[in-house]
Amino acid sequence: MKFICVGRNYAEHVKELGNKLEEKPLIFLKPESALLQNGKIFVLPEHLGSIHHELEIILKINRNGKCIDREFAHKYYDEIGLGIDFTARELQNELKGKGHPWELAKGFDQSAVVGNFIPKEEINNPQNIHFNLLKNDIQVQEGFTKDLMFQFDYLIHYISQYFTLKMGDIIFTGTPSGVGPVQSGDELVGFLEGRELLRTPIR
Ligand code: ZN
């Protein structure tokens, strides 16, 4: 399986990092070895410098497809969950500055936390899903999917023109504003529509 991730998909977050809005989705991959299951401890990779949390809604692909039409894209996922796209921010800035790919700052071991999923049909307000992240019981990130620059169905359409989507692949759909560093002893807890779907202790 693979992780396909979307960068700069919420305008407020684009601004907080001083980036420009994109005309097309910004896509990068993480390898399967980046997986960290829900509830497991994230061990800080100290050699990578400052690590930021990015809470994101994730989609689990349920069938194989390529060049998927936007109107059929909704058939390719029936569960929505929460994930964390852990990012080595200083390293990412260094790579960005050189015009190099981001993978070393984005795809390291344990950088893709996959929380629990809920069936799409259990979500009351699919056009504007609310999600938020607490760090040590204090809210640090909050997002609403009405603020997405590129909606889920469009992302599936767009990504599948480049990569065949396979059953079990996971799409990270981008982070809202409020990203920030984690330290040993922190605990991250993520909620989607008020339901706890993710919990990650940091050591
Ligand atoms: Zn991200």
Side-chain angles (χ1 to χ4, degrees):
M1 62 85 73
K2 57 188 175 291
F3 298 103
I4 307 108
C5 307
V6 183
R8 302 179 190 165
N9 207 13
Y10 289 87
E12 282 302 313
H13 167 65
V14 175
K15 279 190 228 160
E16 77 178 340
L17 293 186
N19 291 312
K20 290 212 176 81
L21 296 177
E22 302 292 332
E23 289 172 10
K24 292 177 179 174
L26 187 164
I27 304 295
F28 58 93
L29 299 178
K30 291 180 189 252
E32 187 171 357
S33 50
L35 172 67
L36 181 65
Q37 301 278 8
N38 190 40
K40 299 275 196 257
I41 292 170
F42 176 79
V43 180
L44 278 168
E46 306 216 338
H47 58 297
L48 297 183
S50 170
I51 304 293
H52 277 200
H53 56 76
E54 295 190 357
L55 179 71
E56 311 200 2
I57 292 183
I58 59 177
L59 312 176
K60 191 194 284 179
I61 297 298
N62 62 8
R63 50 197 276 208
N64 299 354
K66 63 190 295 185
C67 297
I68 298 162
D69 283 344
R70 196 170 174 171
E71 61 177 311
F72 299 122
H74 65 278
K75 295 174 185 277
Y76 286 79
Y77 66 103
D78 40 36
E79 291 182 297
I80 287 180
L82 286 178
I84 292 181
D85 165 21
F86 276 124
T87 302
R89 191 68 73 201
E90 294 157 347
L91 177 57
Q92 184 194 25
N93 288 336
E94 191 183 317
L95 295 167
K96 261 194 221 170
K98 291 181 186 165
H100 288 183
W102 295 359
E103 269 70 12
L104 296 178
K106 286 286 197 179
F108 54 88
D109 288 358
Q110 300 194 320
S111 63
V113 180
V114 173
N116 293 327
F117 288 87
I118 55 179
K120 258 194 313 202
E121 63 268 17
E122 285 183 22
I123 293 170
N124 294 326
N125 187 10
Q127 299 312 313
N128 192 21
I129 303 168
H130 173 239
F131 61 113
N132 59 323
L133 181 71
L134 305 192
K135 183 171 88 171
N136 309 329
D137 298 325
I138 295 166
Q139 180 168 297
V140 285
Q141 288 196 267
E142 179 175 42
F144 295 90
T145 57
K146 71 170 170 38
D147 298 324
L148 282 166
M149 314 274 304
F150 303 102
Q151 299 289 332
F152 299 157
D153 291 355
Y154 180 74
L155 292 173
I156 287 174
H157 160 71
Y158 184 83
I159 291 165
S160 70
Q161 295 178 67
Y162 297 87
F163 309 120
T164 295
L165 289 174
K166 295 201 164 175
M167 196 193 311
D169 286 349
I170 290 177
I171 299 179
F172 277 69
T173 60
T175 192
S177 59
V179 302
V182 291
Q183 292 181 339
S184 180
D186 287 346
E187 184 167 52
L188 301 174
V189 185
F191 296 86
L192 187 139
E193 294 286 327
R195 287 165 71 168
E196 181 187 318
L197 294 187
L198 179 146
R199 184 174 283 265
T200 305
I202 317 286
R203 294 292 177 268

